[in-house]
Amino acid sequence: MRKFKTVLISTVLCLALIPSASIFATASTVRDAELPIEIYADEVVSDQKNGITTAKGSARVYYGDIFLSADYMEYRMAGGDLQARGNVVFEYEDNRIFAQRMDFNVNTTLGVFYDAEGYIGGAYFITGKKVERISQTAYRFEEASITTCRCDNPTWSFKFKEGIFHVEKFAVLRRVSFLVKGLPVVLLPIAVVPTKTERSTGFLFPTLGISSLDGFTMENRFFWAINQQSDATLGLDYLSKRGLRPNLEYRYIISRNAHGKIFGSLLDDRVNDTTFYRVRGNHYQRFKYDVVSEAKIDLESAVSPSRTFEVDPEQRAKVRTDSFLYARKNWEHRALQMENRFFKSTMELETPSFASLPELTFFNVRERLLTTPLYYDLTVTGSNFIEEFPGGNRMNLSRLDFFPRLTLPINSLSWWDFTQSVGFRETVYSEQIDNESPLSRELFFSQSVLEAPRFYKVFNLKLGQIDRIVHIVEPVITYTYISDNDGEVEGRLLNFDEVDDFSASNVLSYALTNRFVAREVGEGGTKRVRELARITLGQSYDIKEERNRVEGSEPLSEIFIDVETWIIPSLRINFDGLYSLEEDSLETMNFEVDYRFLRYLKFEFDSRLKRGRRPAGLPRTDYIRAGIGVNLGKKWYLEYAARVNFRMDEEITENSLILNHRSQCWGFTVRLVDRADETTIDFQIELVGIGGLGKNIYRAVNPDALYKL
């Protein structure tokens, strides 16, 4: 025998010549005969006669991607068996197991670990009196536990008598206790637990609930990892009062330039004797030669499932579906665009559906005209509109719009910038109101923009880190003239979009913008500039209205107000609106406040309000919303929100309270939503690496407001 501090043993053996003396001889996995086995230790003894090598003191074995270490090891070359004792460590890819004793076979790379603990699959922490590696991706346990919590006293764990763990698939556990902080809360004879950290095919946790509207509910989902580019989620929801609701979502990424998804659901509702369906999807694709296309499908049944089932107030207030097919080819200064679009109302009123099928537009963006100081741009649009009314009546109208423009910027005036644009717009319609004969409209367009000199004043002061504030005043005057065509077509055109809104105008507009810019001095004398506030006031004077003034008309428009401030970086305030001098009141108002204090407090408020009555059938989308969020510490977060949606003559008032917790290995969310017609309590518990359960456990609905036609 020879004794030495370090030894390298390289073995190239043929499996057919090795005696089957290993305790794992039945395993099908074999080691790569071309890989050497490297053994290092403080003391290595090699008995070449019996083919036994012993290693003592910090013994380490390297074999391919496998690393083994222990206080003492004994390796038998004939069968490939390796026994280890004391502080055993096994490492392979993202598996790391610690044990007091190990019986391992380098030929099969399988083994048994006694009094073991460690990580399997990178995320799952296991303990076991006996842990057996039965394949490259499977382990058998006895008297064991499993969790994804990385702490001495895990928040949750499964403790079981015996089980088999399949990496990236599932674990089958027998005689199971589910423990919370070491205390058993659920006892099960058997449990099948998902062990997937990567996308793979399998059943997801079902979602259970109970509702006075739907009855007992169970949402079942099956995830299908079709390939690396696509996957699908198949669902079958059981609603004891309403029926079965099958659904499917398919997602795909063909390449960086082509991806999309589609979702569909169907419910034959027994409560209201109607059928709810929904189809939503989108697809984006970029072709060669800089051609971009996008498609969106948004279809719903006549009785909208969004307005009936959705918890989100934005979806419940949805007034129409919007489907389109869009394609665009870009050049340096030009573009050709094709769009097909279809709208359908989700309101209970009998409103028409509308489509533009198709609309083809050619753009020539502004570019210099040869070597002259002039610039030109052009827009040509051909549209075909279809409007279908309740009862089956249908209107089909075609329109061609041609709009070239010339622009002359003059920057030679000291302190002044002047831009003059002129154009001619011709629009041809295939028919007019109450008349099937075609109609054309020719309009002359002129616009002059004068940007007056900027005035500014510098204030040197000391306000925290701010040592200087600059106040800048920016006046702008705009005159727009559009010929009136002698009133020949006024009142005879159908109105579809902004092209039809382009009509006779003789308006002088003026605006004044005030900007406040601060310079801040940070640590080390570093300086940065940021805007503190921007205030814009604007108004217009209608010369045409003044010339044709009648009782009740007013040439002066409302005053436009736009204010946005960031006096402190964490507080943003924005306000814009129209103030009527005649009514001495705000006609429209949008107001937003967003405040965040570090990671501990968040406050948001926004509103959109408009005075006056709307024409019949025009949806009202005003709202007021306020919310506050508080970080309670230790990863607990509380959020309260209140919202009032104004829709037609209906007000939807909603209050919600959300308690959320997220930690390394688990998450918990409970949400209380209270509306005039419905109260819901949702909860969600997520065990990281295992899955989640719960949702809509309680749902109380006012029977008098369940359903309205």
Side-chain angles (χ1 to χ4, degrees):
M1 292 189 296
R2 299 169 53 194
K3 296 185 179 180
F4 44 94
K5 290 292 184 180
T6 306
V7 66
L8 169 63
I9 302 178
S10 299
T11 6
V12 183
L13 299 173
C14 176
L15 182 63
L17 300 178
I18 299 177
S20 181
S22 170
I23 58 173
F24 300 101
T26 57
S28 59
T29 306
V30 297
R31 73 178 182 87
D32 188 344
E34 296 182 358
L35 290 177
I37 299 174
E38 303 177 18
I39 301 179
Y40 300 89
D42 294 339
E43 181 179 345
V44 177
V45 178
S46 178
D47 183 353
Q48 296 183 358
K49 180 179 179 180
N50 296 312
I52 299 175
T53 299
T54 58
K56 299 179 182 179
S58 300
R60 303 176 304 283
V61 171
Y62 298 90
Y63 172 61
D65 295 333
I66 294 177
F67 169 76
L68 303 169
S69 69
D71 294 338
Y72 172 85
M73 288 187 186
E74 182 178 292
Y75 172 62
R76 297 178 179 271
M77 295 179 59
D81 293 332
L82 186 149
Q83 295 181 336
R85 304 289 184 272
N87 298 313
V88 176
V89 178
F90 165 80
E91 292 184 10
Y92 174 69
E93 294 181 346
D94 53 359
N95 303 298
R96 185 180 177 89
I97 298 176
F98 305 88
Q100 289 303 311
R101 183 164 63 93
M102 175 187 69
D103 294 328
F104 192 77
N105 186 273
V106 295
N107 294 335
T108 62
T109 68
L110 309 180
V112 182
F113 307 88
Y114 301 92
D115 298 322
E117 66 178 32
Y119 290 94
I120 296 177
Y124 301 93
F125 181 77
I126 58 93
T127 66
K129 187 174 181 179
K130 181 180 177 181
V131 177
E132 183 178 358
R133 189 170 191 252
I134 58 177
S135 75
Q136 302 294 324
T137 58
Y139 295 81
R140 181 184 291 120
F141 299 90
E142 292 182 9
E143 302 288 346
S145 69
I146 183 173
T147 183
T148 57
C149 298
R150 301 187 178 221
C151 54
D152 293 335
N153 184 21
T155 304
W156 65 268
S157 63
F158 288 99
K159 186 176 181 181
F160 51 96
K161 188 70 174 178
E162 59 182 2
I164 296 180
F165 184 103
H166 297 274
V167 178
E168 290 300 333
K169 290 184 179 180
F170 56 87
V172 180
L173 314 178
R174 299 181 185 278
R175 298 170 65 180
V176 186
S177 299
F178 179 69
L179 280 65
V180 175
K181 285 295 184 180
L183 299 176
V185 294
V186 178
L187 301 177
L188 298 170
I190 187 170
V192 179
V193 179
T195 59
K196 301 171 184 178
T197 58
E198 299 179 357
R199 57 190 292 273
S200 56
T201 299
F203 285 96
L204 306 179
F205 267 100
T207 298
L208 305 178
I210 187 169
S211 162
S212 58
L213 177 63
D214 303 330
F216 172 75
T217 63
M218 176 183 290
E219 298 179 1
N220 303 285
R221 296 291 183 271
F222 179 80
F223 180 80
W224 181 17
I226 302 171
N227 50 43
Q228 292 296 322
Q229 290 76 38
S230 63
D231 55 46
T233 303
L234 294 81
L236 182 62
D237 303 338
Y238 171 71
L239 296 78
S240 63
K241 290 187 177 181
R242 292 184 176 272
L244 293 175
R245 181 172 58 197
N247 53 80
L248 169 67
E249 183 172 16
Y250 174 68
R251 299 162 293 270
Y252 57 92
I253 301 178
I254 301 173
S255 67
R256 293 179 57 187
N257 296 325
H259 52 81
K261 64 180 180 180
I262 187 167
F263 169 83
S265 67
L266 177 68
L267 173 64
D268 189 7
D269 186 17
R270 294 195 298 258
V271 173
N272 302 294
D273 194 23
T274 189
T275 299
F276 292 96
Y277 71 82
R278 176 186 301 168
V279 179
R280 292 178 180 172
N282 60 72
H283 174 80
Y284 170 86
Q285 187 154 356
R286 179 180 290 273
F287 298 93
K288 291 182 179 180
Y289 311 112
D290 203 17
V291 176
V292 176
S293 70
E294 186 174 356
K296 176 187 173 185
I297 299 175
D298 184 13
L299 303 174
E300 292 188 356
S301 52
V303 182
S304 170
S306 298
R307 292 165 52 86
T308 306
F309 294 104
E310 287 288 350
V311 176
D312 183 359
E314 291 287 347
Q315 290 295 319
R316 290 176 68 92
K318 183 177 180 179
V319 297
R320 67 181 184 180
T321 62
D322 179 11
S323 302
F324 64 82
L325 173 62
Y326 162 94
R328 184 183 179 111
K329 161 63 180 169
N330 294 310
W331 293 273
E332 183 178 1
H333 295 287
R334 280 160 282 280
L336 182 63
Q337 175 180 300
M338 184 274 294
E339 183 179 73
N340 296 274
R341 206 166 199 116
F342 176 76
F343 300 102
K344 186 175 181 180
S345 173
T346 61
M347 309 295 288
E348 296 165 4
L349 300 175
E350 291 189 345
T351 54
S353 59
F354 174 78
S356 57
L357 302 169
E359 183 171 85
L360 189 65
T361 306
F362 173 77
F363 301 94
N364 195 123
V365 298
R366 183 177 296 181
E367 63 174 318
R368 185 181 291 272
L369 181 60
L370 302 177
T371 58
T372 70
L374 295 172
Y375 291 80
Y376 73 95
D377 61 283
L378 170 69
T379 304
V380 181
T381 304
S383 309
N384 183 63
F385 300 109
I386 300 173
E387 194 164 12
E388 189 167 325
F389 299 89
N393 294 328
R394 183 171 178 171
M395 184 198 69
N396 193 320
L397 179 141
S398 298
R399 184 188 69 194
L400 178 63
D401 182 65
F402 178 74
F403 190 16
R405 291 172 294 275
L406 285 175
T407 301
L408 176 64
I410 302 176
N411 303 317
S412 58
L413 302 174
S414 59
W415 306 105
W416 299 80
D417 288 332
F418 179 76
T419 304
Q420 176 63 51
S421 298
V422 295
F424 174 78
R425 188 163 204 167
E426 170 135 13
T427 310
V428 180
Y429 298 84
S430 62
E431 60 182 84
Q432 52 190 294
I433 295 178
D434 298 328
N435 193 332
E436 295 183 358
S437 61
L439 177 70
S440 66
R441 179 190 67 179
E442 296 82 23
L443 298 173
F444 171 74
F445 165 79
S446 174
Q447 186 174 74
S448 307
V449 180
L450 178 65
E451 298 182 49
R454 294 184 177 184
F455 304 93
Y456 69 92
K457 183 174 178 59
V458 179
F459 299 90
N460 294 307
L461 46 80
K462 185 62 178 176
L463 185 63
Q465 293 183 325
I466 298 175
D467 71 342
R468 177 179 296 178
I469 294 178
V470 181
H471 177 204
I472 305 170
V473 180
E474 303 172 346
V476 177
I477 301 173
T478 303
Y479 173 67
T480 303
Y481 173 78
I482 303 174
S483 61
D484 61 5
N485 212 3
D486 297 327
E488 292 180 3
V489 298
E490 186 175 351
R492 299 165 61 191
L493 297 178
L494 296 163
N495 192 299
F496 294 103
D497 54 28
E498 65 276 0
V499 173
D500 305 313
D501 290 333
F502 191 87
S503 57
S505 178
N506 193 357
V507 175
L508 179 67
S509 303
Y510 36 89
L512 196 65
T513 299
N514 291 264
R515 298 181 186 273
F516 297 87
V517 181
R519 186 178 73 179
E520 297 179 329
V521 181
E523 296 181 2
T526 58
K527 298 178 181 179
R528 71 163 186 160
V529 176
R530 68 179 183 90
E531 192 172 61
L532 295 179
R534 183 186 72 249
I535 303 172
T536 300
L537 298 176
Q539 193 180 29
S540 61
Y541 178 73
D542 194 327
I543 300 173
K544 178 186 174 184
E545 189 75 23
E546 176 65 30
R547 290 176 177 174
N548 303 316
R549 192 164 186 172
V550 295
E551 186 177 352
S553 64
E554 177 56 56
L556 280 173
S557 72
E558 296 95 342
I559 297 175
F560 171 72
I561 308 168
D562 185 9
V563 180
E564 191 160 15
T565 68
W566 306 267
I567 297 176
I568 58 176
S570 58
L571 175 63
R572 174 181 172 270
I573 301 175
N574 176 254
F575 170 85
D576 66 80
L578 293 175
Y579 178 79
S580 171
L581 294 173
E582 185 179 6
E583 299 291 335
D584 191 22
S585 63
L586 280 169
E587 294 300 298
T588 65
M589 180 187 73
N590 298 305
F591 183 59
E592 298 178 38
V593 178
D594 189 337
Y595 174 69
R596 298 172 189 273
F597 178 70
L598 300 177
R599 294 180 300 169
Y600 302 102
L601 179 67
K602 176 183 73 174
F603 174 76
E604 295 176 340
F605 175 85
D606 63 282
S607 65
R608 179 173 64 210
L609 298 172
K610 184 174 182 179
R611 287 167 50 90
R613 298 179 61 85
R614 288 172 170 75
L618 185 64
R620 183 182 182 187
T621 57
D622 299 350
Y623 67 86
I624 299 175
R625 185 185 68 86
I628 184 170
V630 181
N631 189 336
L632 303 176
K634 295 185 178 180
K635 301 182 180 179
W636 286 91
Y637 192 80
L638 182 66
E639 183 174 352
Y640 170 76
R643 180 183 180 112
V644 180
N645 266 35
F646 304 97
R647 189 179 64 197
M648 300 295 289
D649 296 327
E650 179 184 7
E651 292 186 8
I652 302 176
T653 304
E654 176 180 296
N655 293 277
S656 65
L657 185 67
I658 301 174
L659 179 64
N660 180 273
H661 173 73
R662 282 291 179 272
S663 68
Q664 175 268 319
C665 64
W666 75 289
F668 172 80
T669 301
V670 60
R671 178 177 62 177
L672 168 66
V673 180
D674 180 60
R675 289 190 291 267
D677 61 343
E678 182 178 5
T679 299
T680 65
I681 298 177
D682 303 340
F683 87 96
Q684 183 75 35
I685 297 176
E686 180 186 2
L687 307 180
V688 175
I690 301 298
L693 53 89
K695 188 180 179 183
N696 295 341
I697 191 170
Y698 173 76
R699 193 174 174 191
V701 182
N702 181 353
D704 297 330
L706 288 184
Y707 190 79
K708 296 179 181 179
L709 283 176

